[in-house]
């Protein structure tokens, strides 16, 4: 189960980072850049919970800090996504399944605004004043709009992949405590019991019939 989480999370983060650097960052949109990496962290945290969300967010942010053409201090975006992943895991839907689009969309908007504010705040602490020159209000608005438009095409798919990795029957069987293994073993045992019981029942009926036939013959002989 944990291996499935690590494999899926690593794959999604790397793919999102490549798309982020090679495609989204080159669109030259006004204001902020659509943050696909943030949406991946949100989708995984909605299914895996706050601890896994924090670890995934930290790893994804650290990769973004080290990937070219990063021009900020390493660890800055890792801190931001770590906090966002932790908070997103705290408000995850029940059993990682979406019943309404309202709450996840609000979470996406909150994460976009919160990550932008936190990133700018950490930058101010280390002497980076780029957000002041661009305009913090414009960054907040465009980040929320871009991520909100991108979220319906990414977050549900990411959550579906994460739930599928969690419900892997092979992993449940290997772990020995999964419900899938219990259900499968229950089916096998019940099926075997029914077949054996059916055969035993058939044998008992045949034995009873043979006994009745023998009794009838004996009675007939005695009458004669």
């Amino acid at each position: 189960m944990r291996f499935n989480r690590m494999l899926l999370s690593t794959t999604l983060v790397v793919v999102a980072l490549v798309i982020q650097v090679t495609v989204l960052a080159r669109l030259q949109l006004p204001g902020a850049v659509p943050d696909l990496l943030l949406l991946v962290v949100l989708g995984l945290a909605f299914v895996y919970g706050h601890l896994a969300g924090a670890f995934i967010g930290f790893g994804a942010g650290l990769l973004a800090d080290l990937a070219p053409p990063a021009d900020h201090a390493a660890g800055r975006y890792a801190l931001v996504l770590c906090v966002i992943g932790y908070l997103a895991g705290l408000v995850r839907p029940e059993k990682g399944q979406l019943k309404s689009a309202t709450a996840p969309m609000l979470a996406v908007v909150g994460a976009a605004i919160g990550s932008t504010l936190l990133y700018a705040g950490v930058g101010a602490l280390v002497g980076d004043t780029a957000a002041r020159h661009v305009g913090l209000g414009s960054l907040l608005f465009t980040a929320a709009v871009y991520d909100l438009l991108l979220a319906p095409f990414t977050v549900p798919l990411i959550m579906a992949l994460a739930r599928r990795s969690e419900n892997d029957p092979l992993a449940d069987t290997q772990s020995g405590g999964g419900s899938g293994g219990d259900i499968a073993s229950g089916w096998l045992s019940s099926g075997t019991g029914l077949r054996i019981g059916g055969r035993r029942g058939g044998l008992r009926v045949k034995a009873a019939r043979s006994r009745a036939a023998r009794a009838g013959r004996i009675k007939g002989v005695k009458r004669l």
Side-chain angles (χ1 to χ4, degrees):
M1 192 74 70
R2 293 181 179 178
F3 177 77
N4 291 341
R5 286 188 179 188
M6 294 175 59
L7 181 61
L8 179 64
S9 302
T10 303
T11 303
L12 292 177
V13 166
V14 171
V15 171
L17 182 60
V18 171
I19 297 176
Q20 183 83 28
V21 174
T22 60
V23 179
L24 298 179
R26 299 184 179 183
L27 293 179
Q28 297 181 352
L29 297 173
V33 176
D35 199 341
L36 182 59
L37 205 58
L38 173 66
L39 298 179
V40 169
V41 173
L42 288 178
L44 294 175
F46 284 157
V47 178
Y48 294 153
H50 59 284
L51 292 179
F55 281 112
I56 294 171
F58 180 81
L62 188 60
L63 287 178
D65 289 332
L66 299 177
D71 56 352
H72 55 268
R76 180 176 170 184
Y77 199 49
L79 174 62
V80 173
L81 288 187
C82 180
V83 174
I84 295 298
Y86 182 84
L87 295 178
L90 293 177
V91 297
R92 68 170 179 167
E94 184 180 0
K95 296 182 180 180
Q97 296 181 352
L98 297 177
K99 297 182 179 180
S100 174
T102 303
M105 292 299 102
L106 292 177
V108 168
V109 173
I113 296 176
S115 62
T116 304
L117 287 174
L118 187 57
Y119 185 82
V122 176
L125 294 177
V126 298
D128 186 1
T129 59
R132 298 179 182 178
H133 300 290
V134 178
L136 185 58
S138 176
L139 286 176
L140 293 175
F141 177 76
T142 53
V145 171
Y146 295 155
D147 292 348
L148 189 60
L149 292 176
L150 189 60
F153 304 99
T154 55
V155 175
L157 177 61
I158 293 168
M159 294 182 65
L161 292 175
R163 288 196 303 268
R164 186 174 182 180
S165 69
E166 286 289 273
N167 298 326
D168 188 1
L170 180 60
D172 290 339
T173 303
Q174 293 176 349
S175 63
S179 60
D182 294 339
I183 294 175
S185 62
W187 282 344
L188 291 175
S189 62
S190 63
T192 305
L194 286 176
R195 291 177 182 176
I196 295 175
R199 291 176 182 175
R200 289 178 178 176
L203 293 175
R204 290 176 181 176
V205 171
K206 290 181 180 179
R209 289 178 179 176
S210 62
R211 291 175 182 174
R214 290 178 182 176
R217 292 175 182 175
I218 293 173
K219 289 181 179 180
V221 172
K222 288 183 177 180
R223 289 176 182 176
L224 291 174

